[in-house]
């Protein structure tokens, strides 16, 4: 697999930020429409109706029309897919409102960064990690961060921690962004 890194010019960064802002705006409108729905009301508009509404909104608002319609429609497609997945009973990530389940890939905060032993009982509390095998103790977040830095992460984006997931969003190196 090849990886590419974008190093946009300042002008390109501005355009990319605008694309992101427009996509976020369109996504938030879709969320607002969905939240407005209540039993007894007609259902929230679907993807095709939202695309029709997007066309109208672009005609009314030049700042929105200045952005990429493809990017804005993709935000609506992503929203429709997220809603379909959320309510699909066959989807293992299905979470009905009010229902919280603990996922069983172990968490990085259950692996000892000193000896590698994995045990849920090593988490004494939300903040305290004490390894049941070697007795190593530290803040649970620090322990998890050490595991992630060492490449032992089990990720939510499809990776097992050994190899980086294909769908991981690229991150700029601190040296390229000017932040260190």
């Amino acid at each position: 697999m090849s990886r590419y890194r974008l190093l946009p010019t300042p002008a390109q960064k501005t355009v990319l930020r605008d694309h992101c802002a427009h996509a976020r705006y369109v996504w938030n409108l879709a969320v607002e429409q969905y939240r407005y729905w209540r039993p007894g009301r007609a259902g929230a508009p679907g993807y095709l109706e939202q695309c029709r509404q997007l066309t109208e909104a672009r005609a009314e608002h030049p700042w929105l029309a200045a952005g990429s319609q493809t990017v804005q429609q993709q935000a609506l497609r992503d929203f429709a897919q997220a809603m379909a997945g959320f309510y699909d009973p066959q989807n293992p990530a299905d979470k009905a409102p009010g229902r919280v389940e603990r996922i069983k890939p172990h968490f990085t905060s259950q692996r000892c960064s000193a000896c590698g032993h994995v045990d849920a009982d090593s988490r004494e509390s939300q903040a305290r990690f004490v390894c049941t095998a070697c007795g190593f103790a530290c803040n649970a977040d620090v322990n998890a961060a050490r595991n992630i830095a060492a490449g032992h992460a089990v990720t939510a984006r499809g990776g097992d921690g050994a190899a980086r997931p294909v769908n991981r969003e690229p991150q700029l190196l601190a040296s390229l962004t000017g932040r260190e």
Side-chain angles (χ1 to χ4, degrees):
M1 175 188 82
S2 297
R3 290 191 180 223
Y4 299 93
R5 175 163 305 203
L6 293 177
L7 296 173
T9 65
Q12 290 169 327
K13 283 182 183 180
T14 301
V15 171
L16 288 171
R17 276 193 206 105
D18 287 346
H19 285 323
C20 291
H22 293 151
R24 185 174 50 252
Y25 178 80
V26 168
W27 176 280
N28 288 339
L29 285 177
V31 169
E32 185 178 325
Q33 286 179 326
Y34 178 78
R35 285 187 176 165
Y36 182 73
W37 180 86
R38 298 283 183 266
R41 289 187 183 156
Y47 170 71
L48 294 177
E49 174 60 20
Q50 287 176 326
C51 283
R52 188 189 65 71
Q53 292 172 358
L54 176 62
T55 300
E56 291 175 2
R58 289 173 55 85
E60 291 178 28
H61 305 287
W63 64 269
L64 191 59
S68 168
Q69 185 171 11
T70 303
V71 169
Q72 295 163 15
Q73 286 179 340
Q74 185 62 51
L76 293 175
R77 269 192 295 279
D78 291 344
F79 180 80
Q81 183 179 5
M83 289 294 98
F86 183 79
Y87 287 106
D88 180 3
Q90 301 302 316
N91 185 347
D94 173 44
K95 299 288 180 256
R99 190 176 91 206
V100 177
E101 294 178 10
R102 179 170 221 144
I103 298 174
K104 296 177 183 169
H106 46 271
F107 299 109
T108 53
S109 59
Q110 294 176 354
R111 176 190 299 270
C112 178
S113 60
C115 73
H117 180 73
V118 177
D119 185 359
D121 292 335
S122 292
R123 285 294 297 270
E124 286 192 342
S125 69
Q126 179 66 27
R128 184 140 171 85
F129 177 89
V130 178
C131 181
T132 56
C134 72
F136 173 76
C138 73
N139 179 284
D141 292 339
V142 171
N143 180 66
R146 288 179 180 164
N147 283 318
I148 291 168
H152 298 297
V154 176
T155 71
R157 293 185 151 261
D160 62 1
R164 294 290 178 222
V166 176
N167 59 351
R168 182 172 179 264
E169 296 172 7
Q171 305 295 313
L172 282 179
L173 300 174
S175 61
L176 293 175
T177 61
R179 288 179 271 157
E180 298 193 62

